[in-house]
Amino acid sequence: MVYKLRTSQKALLKAVSSGGSKAVTKAIVTTLLSASTLLCSPITFANSSLSVDSDAFTVQVYNSRNQTEHLKLNYTQAVRLEQVLADTIANITLFPTTEEKSNQPVYWTGAGLYKGFPHPNKANIIRQLEKASELVNPTERDTFQQLATQLNQFKIGERLFTPLDYDLVRINKTSNPIISAQQFPVPMTLVLPSRPNSVWVLGAVQHNSEQPWVTRTSANQYLEQVGTVSYSDNSIATIIQPDGTVEQHPIAYWNKDHMDIAPGAIVYVGFSNLPTGYQSLNDEIINLLRNKAL
């Protein structure tokens, strides 16, 4: 069942600018009931520092990018990120979640703001993996193709790497960017997931797979569960934490050192035998995986 917010006028807000002129704006929050998506429409906010002539735009808010039901926030003018987060939090009780996740709080570590889906480099990187698979030893081919297939299945958008912690956004202007149709002509997507209970292990491994997350489990221990291959980088694993942070975790017997891995992270092991012309492919895959939505 879908809920829409039907228009109900809020109190008029009076603001006085530094020059002494008065600006009166209406803040309208709508409450609608319908049948496929949760919709807030329209919302207009008092903010004298932003242009009232900005085009309308939409922010789609998902609990998981794999779901179709979502909260939709429609704005008639540019707003700051703080306002988007405040509106989402204000309507969090109507947030569509699966029954399994219905009572779980937002996992802010894995939250992501996206300019659009899919990522503009996704298709090209998948093609590179497929072409590289034709140039390597036949015994190695399946590993490249397996990763290409998995990347194709992931929901990978163009992530805006900005903090989404509401308190930080509220008090730090540099963490509170303006969101507008001019900057982001396609609908923005905000993913506010529940905490997952798994991590992904990918790359030069025997089986690209999702593994149960266990506290204090190292990259080396996750790799033991899936098995590495002879042409993998056997000294370093790249960890893409759920906020997009990239870390290098040592995994060889001579440099092993425990480093924590958060739920929803990705453990990536690079290929050590990339064909001529594909030497940058590991870095391109890692940069793409930073944009994966939970």
Side-chain angles (χ1 to χ4, degrees):
M1 180 177 183
V2 176
Y3 305 87
K4 291 186 174 182
L5 296 175
R6 207 157 205 144
T7 308
S8 65
Q9 187 173 351
K10 293 279 185 184
L12 294 178
L13 302 176
K14 180 181 291 186
V16 180
S17 68
S18 58
S21 61
K22 296 181 179 180
V24 179
T25 45
K26 294 181 180 179
I28 304 172
V29 180
T30 57
T31 305
L32 308 149
L33 255 107
S34 115
S36 79
T37 60
L38 188 59
L39 175 66
C40 295
S41 170
I43 304 177
T44 308
F45 301 95
N47 192 328
S48 59
S49 66
L50 301 179
S51 169
V52 295
D53 295 325
S54 300
D55 294 335
F57 71 99
T58 298
V59 179
Q60 302 173 126
V61 189
Y62 289 82
N63 174 246
S64 166
R65 197 58 184 85
N66 293 313
Q67 290 180 234
T68 55
E69 292 186 352
H70 59 281
L71 176 70
K72 185 182 286 186
L73 304 176
N74 290 341
Y75 295 90
T76 61
Q77 65 182 57
V79 296
R80 290 197 178 272
L81 177 58
E82 175 190 355
Q83 187 68 66
V84 175
L85 294 177
D87 297 333
T88 302
I89 292 168
N91 292 286
I92 202 72
T93 56
L94 299 177
F95 202 52
T97 60
T98 62
E99 186 175 346
E100 177 188 2
K101 305 280 188 180
S102 59
N103 295 318
Q104 295 188 21
V106 170
Y107 182 50
W108 290 99
T109 303
L113 183 63
Y114 298 85
K115 300 176 186 179
F117 284 82
H119 191 282
N121 294 337
K122 180 180 177 181
N124 179 54
I125 291 172
I126 291 172
R127 279 195 300 270
Q128 287 189 65
L129 272 168
E130 292 170 342
K131 290 178 180 178
S133 73
E134 300 171 359
L135 302 174
V136 298
N137 189 297
T139 59
E140 305 172 10
R141 189 166 298 159
D142 182 62
T143 307
F144 285 81
Q145 293 174 342
Q146 185 185 162
L147 180 57
T149 299
Q150 190 59 66
L151 291 180
N152 189 49
Q153 293 173 358
F154 283 153
K155 301 294 185 183
I156 303 177
E158 191 173 3
R159 191 171 193 167
L160 183 64
F161 291 98
T162 186
L164 291 176
D165 180 282
Y166 181 66
D167 290 331
L168 177 62
V169 169
R170 187 169 50 84
I171 64 176
N172 187 343
K173 187 174 181 179
T174 60
S175 299
N176 191 16
I178 294 173
I179 309 295
S180 70
Q182 283 71 29
Q183 293 171 295
F184 310 108
V186 297
M188 295 287 290
T189 298
L190 178 62
V191 180
L192 300 180
S194 305
R195 198 187 88 159
N197 57 6
S198 63
V199 300
W200 276 95
V201 186
L202 304 170
V205 296
Q206 293 179 14
H207 304 287
N208 289 277
S209 61
E210 195 172 15
Q211 296 293 319
W213 177 83
V214 180
T215 184
R216 299 289 296 170
T217 298
S218 67
N220 198 60
Q221 290 170 304
Y222 283 119
L223 290 170
E224 288 174 355
Q225 296 175 29
V226 301
T228 56
V229 291
S230 60
Y231 44 91
S232 66
D233 183 341
N234 58 10
S235 61
I236 294 290
T238 299
I239 309 303
I240 299 101
Q241 299 286 14
D243 63 354
T245 300
V246 175
E247 300 172 351
Q248 302 296 320
H249 289 205
I251 57 174
Y253 73 90
W254 50 269
N255 68 348
K256 242 187 273 185
D257 185 24
H258 178 80
M259 299 173 70
D260 286 334
I261 297 173
I266 297 169
V267 179
Y268 178 79
V269 181
F271 297 93
S272 63
N273 67 327
L274 290 166
T276 302
Y278 294 87
Q279 280 79 9
S280 66
L281 187 54
N282 281 318
D283 289 338
E284 292 180 59
I285 292 169
I286 291 166
N287 286 329
L288 181 68
L289 289 172
R290 295 185 69 205
N291 294 270
K292 177 183 174 294
L294 293 181

